[in-house]
Amino acid sequence: MSEPPRGFPEDEFATRTARAQTRMADAGLAGLLLMTEPEVRYFSGFHTLFWQSPTRPWFLFVPATGKPIAIIPEIGAALMRTTWIDDIRTWSAPAPADDGISLLIDLLTPFARGSASIGVMKGHETMLRMPLGDYERLLAALPGLHISDATGIIRSLRMVKSEREIKKIAHICAIGSRTFAKVPDLAHEGLPMEALFRAFRREALAQGADDVPYLVGGADQGGYHDVISPPSPRPLSRGDILMLDTGATLDGYFCDFDRNWAVGHADDLSRRAYDVLWRATEAGINAARPGITCRDLFRAMQSVIAEMDDQGGDVGRLGHGLGIQLTEWPSHAAFDDTVLQENMVLTLEPSLGYGDGRIMVHEENIVVRAGGAELLTTRAPQELPVI
């Protein structure tokens, strides 16, 4: 599989913006004020790791017509000029007394005078990436402006991927799959987990990943007890069940899946747990098609998990969306009635508890097509592999 081109052509962003503007018109919104990295990147193509610094706020305004407007620190102007954005307004930052607030007030004052409504993201899995005090100052300076929740608009756009996005995700999933295939050559009895983490990261980079910002795992006798731990100096031992879960990236898009192995020997209970999870994942793959809900998908996997764990997995959900972020909307959970659509990219992540406080998790990445699920990851072996 050849690596897809970096970035996107202008028409990708023009299409995203036009679709947002159609939804804005339906909702009676004069614009969207976006402040978080995924949304700014989604509409502009502005891609930088500088978001790791919390010192400076960044803003993108999507008007009812025309291109988005960037209001950003001067340090980002040169990079923003390489995107399709033409109107770039900057200030010298950091400036705690006025970090872009005056520029935002200048932009939004005409809307406030007309008692217009603009959208910001207020819902679940969103955040305000500016000081709360600055946000309050902004609203106080614009008394006629109405603020509506635009989470539904952004969610409806980002959940359904373009073919260009899917190609990037497919490529990083292939890189992740090749990296996992190398684990039996990297892992052995006596190897500290922290050394395995470093070796895995090196291998993923050698396979073509840009970065491995997310790598967690666990290993213990006959199972593991959590799935979000950082590496430890504990050496792998015969009888351990090892899990690694990676979120590697390519051009700003994630894969997110895990794999399980037994070290030296697999006990019968762990073999059974692995079999149940493999079949639960298969049930999810077979169920995932346009028109069903995330609740339906959750129940398809949960019904298999119940063979061994009547709690149906106790991590809150059995998968989620995937793309610019490691986890995106929707959630495969009993509370989520989102209807699956063609070109949604999802993780299927059934989990169960077994034995004395042990757990096991299995995960694959798929894209929903008209005829059903298409695997983006190389399917895990049907039986628990032994290193």
Side-chain angles (χ1 to χ4, degrees):
M1 181 189 299
S2 61
E3 182 173 321
R6 294 273 163 170
F8 296 103
E10 183 172 318
D11 69 278
E12 179 87 12
F13 301 107
T15 297
R16 295 174 183 180
T17 301
R19 288 175 176 165
Q21 289 167 336
T22 297
R23 289 164 171 77
M24 289 160 56
D26 293 340
L29 298 181
L32 299 174
L33 179 59
L34 306 173
M35 296 169 268
T36 45
E37 191 273 343
E39 286 68 44
V40 171
R41 175 152 52 105
Y42 184 79
F43 286 102
S44 70
F46 184 73
H47 183 197
T48 175
L49 291 178
F50 203 64
W51 288 89
Q52 295 291 335
S53 168
T55 304
R56 299 167 177 86
W58 306 76
F59 308 105
L60 194 75
F61 184 73
V62 182
T65 60
K67 289 185 177 184
I69 299 165
I71 298 180
I72 62 172
E74 176 61 33
I75 196 171
L79 181 58
M80 185 63 79
R81 283 194 289 268
T82 67
T83 74
W84 80 305
I85 303 300
D86 300 321
D87 191 344
I88 303 169
R89 309 177 190 185
T90 68
W91 77 97
S92 180
D98 184 4
D99 254 334
I101 300 304
S102 293
L103 291 175
L104 282 176
I105 291 171
D106 289 344
L107 174 66
L108 298 176
T109 290
F111 299 99
R113 287 174 179 162
S115 297
S117 293
I118 68 167
V120 300
M121 296 179 68
K122 300 181 179 182
H124 186 232
E125 299 187 41
T126 71
M127 67 184 69
L128 185 69
R129 200 188 184 277
M130 66 184 295
L132 180 58
D134 281 2
Y135 184 70
E136 291 172 341
R137 286 171 53 206
L138 178 67
L139 297 188
L142 301 164
L145 193 67
H146 300 280
I147 305 296
S148 298
D149 186 7
T151 306
I153 291 174
I154 303 300
R155 181 183 298 175
S156 68
L157 293 168
R158 285 188 48 206
M159 283 195 303
V160 180
K161 287 0 185 226
S162 71
E163 288 297 334
R164 293 183 182 116
E165 290 181 288
I166 292 167
K167 285 180 181 178
K168 292 181 189 294
I169 301 170
H171 198 78
I172 190 59
C173 285
I175 288 170
S177 294
R178 293 197 300 269
T179 305
F180 277 125
K182 293 287 188 178
V183 168
D185 299 326
L186 303 175
H188 56 80
E189 290 182 47
L191 181 71
M193 280 289 284
E194 58 190 9
L196 177 57
F197 272 50
R198 295 189 189 102
F200 186 95
R201 280 193 162 95
R202 288 193 296 268
E203 184 61 37
L205 294 174
Q207 290 290 340
D210 288 343
D211 197 6
V212 189
Y214 186 81
L215 180 61
V216 297
D220 210 337
Q221 288 291 296
Y224 42 89
H225 297 85
D226 81 88
V227 294
I228 60 171
S229 288
S232 76
R234 179 191 180 278
L236 294 174
S237 301
R238 182 177 176 82
D240 280 352
I241 301 300
L242 165 67
M243 185 277 287
L244 294 174
D245 182 357
T246 188
T249 61
L250 179 78
D251 199 21
Y253 282 81
F254 277 90
C255 67
D256 177 25
F257 63 111
D258 70 20
R259 290 293 179 259
N260 292 274
W261 301 266
V263 179
H265 165 75
D267 64 281
D268 290 342
L269 194 58
S270 294
R271 288 183 185 276
R272 184 185 172 207
Y274 184 93
D275 173 70
V276 169
L277 286 180
W278 195 93
R279 288 187 290 108
T281 308
E282 197 74 3
I285 293 170
N286 292 333
R289 62 187 61 251
I292 75 160
T293 67
C294 288
R295 183 183 296 113
D296 297 330
L297 190 55
F298 170 81
R299 288 173 175 166
M301 292 184 281
Q302 187 186 47
S303 65
V304 181
I305 293 168
E307 295 178 17
M308 193 167 183
D309 178 1
D310 60 9
Q311 298 300 308
D314 193 26
V315 295
R317 61 182 182 178
L318 301 181
H320 49 80
L322 176 68
I324 290 174
Q325 292 172 282
L326 181 77
T327 71
E328 297 185 350
W329 305 289
S331 291
H332 311 323
F335 63 76
D336 199 323
D337 60 1
T338 300
V339 177
L340 298 193
Q341 300 176 57
E342 188 175 356
N343 289 0
M344 281 185 171
V345 177
L346 307 171
T347 72
L348 303 177
E349 192 174 8
S351 64
L352 57 77
Y354 70 104
D356 183 18
R358 291 174 286 177
I359 59 175
M360 188 176 288
V361 182
H362 182 58
E363 194 170 13
E364 302 284 2
N365 298 158
I366 65 169
V367 56
V368 179
R369 297 298 196 184
E374 174 187 321
L375 271 166
L376 299 178
T377 46
T378 300
R379 187 76 166 98
Q382 192 166 354
E383 296 183 356
L384 178 61
V386 179
I387 296 174

